């Protein structure tokens, strides 16, 4: 009886992890890994007390997108909760502001931008299924889809 339970538990665990994987982004020494394969580079600083000011570059070193912390421009305290990240695509000059708490780690921020994972709702589903970077450049179709989805 216990053996059947353990076997069933293992099967459920394997299936749930297989379903939850999609595009997973990790960070290792300022190299963004997509499914454990080098995808792009990131430079700049961010931390709990330092607002995000990051640049995502291709593996060749070409600038692809700038990411900066964004705060709603108002001195009215009613709007203090309105903040997020400004994502500027370098080649096209297009800008998207994604609302989010600005207390994310770099890895969470990358998954928030590239996968659309929402760390505030506790639903960490992948909502953006396109690959923004293809062949060391921003894919125009994915950029358009990104802007349509998040703007």
């Amino acid at each position: 009886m216990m053996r059947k339970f353990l076997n069933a538990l293992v099967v459920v665990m394997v299936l749930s992890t297989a379903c939850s994987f999609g595009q997973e982004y990790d960070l290792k020494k300022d190299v963004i890994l997509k499914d454990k394969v080098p995808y792009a580079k990131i430079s700049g600083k961010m931390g709990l007390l330092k607002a995000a000011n990051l640049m995502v570059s291709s593996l060749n070193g070409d600038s692809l997108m700038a990411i900066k912390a964004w705060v709603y421009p108002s001195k009215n305290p009613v709007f203090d909760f309105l903040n997020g990240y400004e994502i500027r695509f370098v080649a096209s000059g297009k800008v998207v502001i994604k609302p989010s708490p600005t207390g994310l780690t770099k890895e969470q921020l990358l998954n928030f931008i590239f996968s659309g994972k929402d760390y505030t709702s506790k639903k960490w589903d992948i909502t953006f299924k396109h690959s923004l970077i293809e062949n060391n450049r921003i894919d125009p179709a994915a950029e358009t889809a990104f802007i349509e989805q998040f703007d």
Side-chain angles (χ1 to χ4, degrees):
M1 177 74 171
M2 184 65 144
R3 184 175 176 100
K4 285 183 183 180
F5 174 75
L6 289 175
N7 286 339
L9 182 64
V10 169
V11 169
V12 168
M13 288 173 54
V14 168
L15 289 176
S16 67
T17 57
C19 293
S20 68
F21 284 109
Q23 299 173 350
E24 187 65 36
Y25 295 90
D26 295 311
L27 190 61
K28 191 172 191 177
K29 294 186 179 181
D30 292 338
V31 174
I32 302 168
L33 304 172
K34 176 182 169 187
D35 297 327
K36 303 196 187 300
V37 176
Y39 182 66
K41 295 179 183 178
I42 190 163
S43 59
K45 302 282 183 196
M46 74 176 283
L48 289 175
L49 300 175
K50 184 158 179 73
N53 188 7
L54 305 169
M55 178 63 71
V56 175
S57 305
S58 69
L59 295 173
N60 299 333
D62 301 325
S63 297
L64 300 176
M65 61 167 94
I67 304 166
K68 294 186 177 189
W70 175 84
V71 178
Y72 186 78
S74 174
K75 295 189 187 286
N76 188 336
V78 172
F79 300 109
D80 280 350
F81 70 95
L82 291 175
N83 51 26
Y85 295 94
E86 175 187 281
I87 299 127
R88 180 179 305 276
F89 294 96
V90 174
S92 68
K94 295 178 182 174
V95 177
V96 175
I97 294 174
K98 282 188 76 174
S100 169
T102 54
L104 301 177
T105 66
K106 263 189 193 179
E107 195 169 293
Q108 286 175 327
L109 177 60
L110 293 175
N111 278 295
F112 175 66
I113 291 171
F114 289 114
S115 300
K117 287 186 177 181
D118 183 1
Y119 290 94
T120 59
S121 69
K122 297 187 178 162
K123 287 177 62 181
W124 296 0
D125 299 333
I126 294 173
T127 60
F128 186 70
K129 303 200 185 304
H130 303 278
S131 183
L132 274 173
I133 301 171
E134 291 289 336
N135 299 321
N136 286 316
R137 64 181 183 83
I138 297 290
D139 178 20
E143 177 183 357
T144 302
F146 184 87
I147 291 168
E148 287 174 1
Q149 183 170 343
F150 297 112
D151 195 24

